[in-house]
Each structure stands twice: as C-alpha cells, then as structure tokens.
Amino acid sequence: MTQDERRNEILALLAEAEGPLTGSHLSALFGVTRQIIVGDVAVLRARGEEIIATPRGYLLYRQARSGLERTVAVRHGRSDEDLAQALKLIVGLGGTVLDVTVEHPLYGEITANLQLASQADVAQFIEKMKELQAEPLLVLTDGYHLHRLAAPTGEVMEQILAALRQAGFLAE
C-alpha cells in the first residue's frame, strides 16, 4: 500500500467512524508506527481535510452539526473531581464540550479539542488524564478557562448555563 492509498483509507475510515479513532488503532490497522499516522494526518490536514485531534483520537469535522454553539467562561478547582463534575454537568444536560481555551502569557490563546458528548466520554477523558499524569490547561490560569459548547436547542443551552451558574462554575 502506498502512502497516498493509506492516507485515503484513513480519510475513509474517519468518514465512516461513529467516534474517534486513535493513532494507535490506525497504526495497528496499517502495520505502521503511530508517528507515521501522525504524519499522514498532518499531510491530510495540509491538503485541506478538516481532521481534529481529541484526547480520544482523530475525528473528521462535520460541518452539518445541528444546534447552536456558545463560548462560556468557566472557573473551578484543579482536582479531577471538580473537572469531572463540570464536564458531566454539561454533557448530562445534552450538551457537548467542543473545546477548551486558556490564555497563556507567552503563547496567547491555547485551544484543545475535546469533543466530549457523553458521560462515558468524560470518564474516558478523566481516566486518560490520570493515566498520563497530565494536568488540565486550567492550571495555567488559576482555574479560569473558556469552553465552546454545543447544544441541540437554545433551551438546552440555557439549562446548561443555569446549571453551571448554580454550581458556581460560570465565571460572570
């Protein structure tokens, strides 16, 4: 299989996938290293393919996302429990946490794709963070950060905002 054939197959797999595909999964599937897959994805992105990397793997960005999006300022403690509570609140009400952004004094805005849409997604994200002994981006900003959220309706978005406010997570 040539590089171009592998890249086209990666793109086809992402288009068919119900959820994220990890670099490790793709590397095993094609019998190449994970670094080769990272390079393939970089080339596909350079060609204009809208592939996003999340903590759970690669996704093909779907323009046809329905509902509405809103960016909210959030602040909570640094513990895994605080982070999980805030994320579970959002997805439990039917929202999706698309990404997180913090403002770094040297680099400016740093944004990470999350694409968390279910309690299972949140649990997997928290478990991966523990496994890697990684800290969330909010440690750079004393807990303040932005989340871009998606909700199927304005009513659901308002419920999410009210719940974040009530829990003391909404920075207003």
Side-chain angles (χ1 to χ4, degrees), residues 57 71 148 155:
T71 300
R148 191 165 50 97
E155 182 179 327

Side-chain angles (χ1 to χ4, degrees), residues 18-90:
E18 298 270 330
L21 298 177
T22 66
S24 298
H25 171 76
L26 292 170
S27 68
L29 192 63
F30 292 107
V32 297
T33 67
R34 187 180 168 286
Q35 194 56 42
I36 295 291
I37 298 297
V38 170
D40 287 342
V41 170
V43 169
L44 289 167
R45 285 177 172 161
R47 291 180 183 169
E49 299 297 339
E50 294 191 63
I51 300 171
I52 56 175
T54 74
R56 298 174 300 117
Y58 295 111
L59 289 170
L60 194 57
Y61 183 78
R62 291 179 170 80
Q63 291 280 10
R65 184 184 309 144
S66 60
L68 81 115
E69 293 181 11
R70 180 153 177 195
T71 300
V72 297
V74 179
R75 184 176 189 215
H76 53 74
R78 297 168 68 152
S79 74
D80 295 346
E81 293 77 24
D82 286 345
L83 178 59
Q85 182 184 357
L87 295 173
K88 286 179 178 179
L89 186 152
I90 295 164

Side-chain angles (χ1 to χ4, degrees), residues 68 70-76 82-100 114-119 121-122 145-152 155-165 167 169-170:
L68 81 115
R70 180 153 177 195
T71 300
V72 297
V74 179
R75 184 176 189 215
H76 53 74
D82 286 345
L83 178 59
Q85 182 184 357
L87 295 173
K88 286 179 178 179
L89 186 152
I90 295 164
V91 301
L93 290 169
T96 299
V97 184
L98 300 173
D99 57 36
V100 60
L114 296 177
Q115 305 297 318
L116 304 174
S118 68
Q119 301 287 344
D121 290 349
V122 171
H145 54 289
L146 302 175
H147 278 305
R148 191 165 50 97
L149 307 177
E155 182 179 327
V156 170
M157 184 64 78
E158 289 306 316
Q159 290 173 351
I160 292 168
L161 296 176
L164 287 169
R165 187 176 291 114
F169 294 141
L170 202 57

